[in-house]
Amino acid sequence: MDDAVRFDIDNAVGYAIGHVFTRLKIGLRRIFVAAGHDVTPEQWVVLYRLFETQGLTQCGLGERTVKDKTTITRILDRLEAKQLLTRQRDSHDRRSQRIYLTAKGEALIRVLVPLVNRYAAEAFADVGPDDRDTLRRILGRIETRLDAILEPK
């Protein structure tokens, strides 16, 4: 192999993070489906962020979930079709929409949270609390650095 294009992907931290992230999402989706809930992990994150803070704007929700405008719109369209949320024009800015969970959406969150908690406990059973804290700190530092790199100059 040409040394100019040699890369050790098997030991690349970014690849490892992405690989684990993908496996976590696949597992969570299986948990939801097995429990009879047609919700993706991406939809779960959006629903939970709305549960935390009702009335976020679509833009604000995209920022809180790290989703671009197209992706968040697609997710919201699907969740709205399932009657899990509603969109309402912002009374102060007609260009913005505020997003609210419906009663059905709130009820679903109350069912999904225990599933997510059990799955997380099982997935991270071999990682102690101190290591989890260290991992969160390291990932936070990486994210802060990425924000600085990716911020327009």
Side-chain angles (χ1 to χ4, degrees):
M1 181 183 289
D2 183 351
D3 283 343
V5 293
R6 186 175 307 274
F7 181 76
D8 187 4
I9 196 165
D10 293 319
N11 288 308
V13 173
Y15 180 79
I17 291 169
H19 190 79
V20 169
F21 174 67
T22 300
R23 303 268 321 260
L24 283 169
K25 286 190 339 181
I26 289 168
L28 187 58
R29 175 72 172 144
R30 288 179 181 164
I31 296 293
F32 289 160
V33 169
H37 303 290
D38 182 23
V39 177
T40 66
E42 291 81 7
Q43 292 169 349
W44 147 253
V45 169
V46 169
L47 289 168
Y48 194 78
R49 288 298 189 193
L50 285 171
F51 184 75
E52 289 177 323
T53 309
Q54 289 272 10
L56 287 170
T57 63
Q58 190 165 323
C59 182
L61 186 56
E63 290 172 3
R64 300 245 348 242
T65 59
V66 195
K67 308 259 183 260
D68 63 40
K69 186 176 181 178
T70 303
T71 302
I72 197 69
T73 298
R74 181 176 34 85
I75 291 170
L76 292 175
D77 287 346
R78 291 189 177 140
L79 293 173
E80 190 172 37
K82 295 176 186 182
Q83 300 176 333
L84 298 173
L85 59 80
T86 61
R87 293 184 254 202
Q88 299 173 11
R89 287 271 173 229
D90 187 316
S91 60
H92 301 292
D93 181 357
R94 291 175 29 105
R95 296 169 297 167
S96 293
Q97 293 185 8
R98 298 274 174 185
I99 317 297
Y100 298 90
L101 286 180
T102 61
K104 183 177 176 182
E106 287 189 28
L108 180 60
I109 286 294
R110 295 182 192 288
V111 171
L112 295 180
V113 166
L115 296 175
V116 172
N117 284 334
R118 278 195 297 277
Y119 176 60
E122 187 175 346
F124 298 111
D126 297 329
V127 182
D130 290 343
D131 286 340
R132 288 183 207 181
D133 289 342
T134 299
L135 179 58
R136 276 190 293 274
R137 278 194 309 278
I138 291 168
L139 291 173
R141 288 198 313 259
I142 293 169
E143 187 171 17
T144 298
R145 181 69 180 144
L146 289 172
D147 288 344
I149 292 170
L150 298 174
E151 189 170 300
K153 296 181 182 199

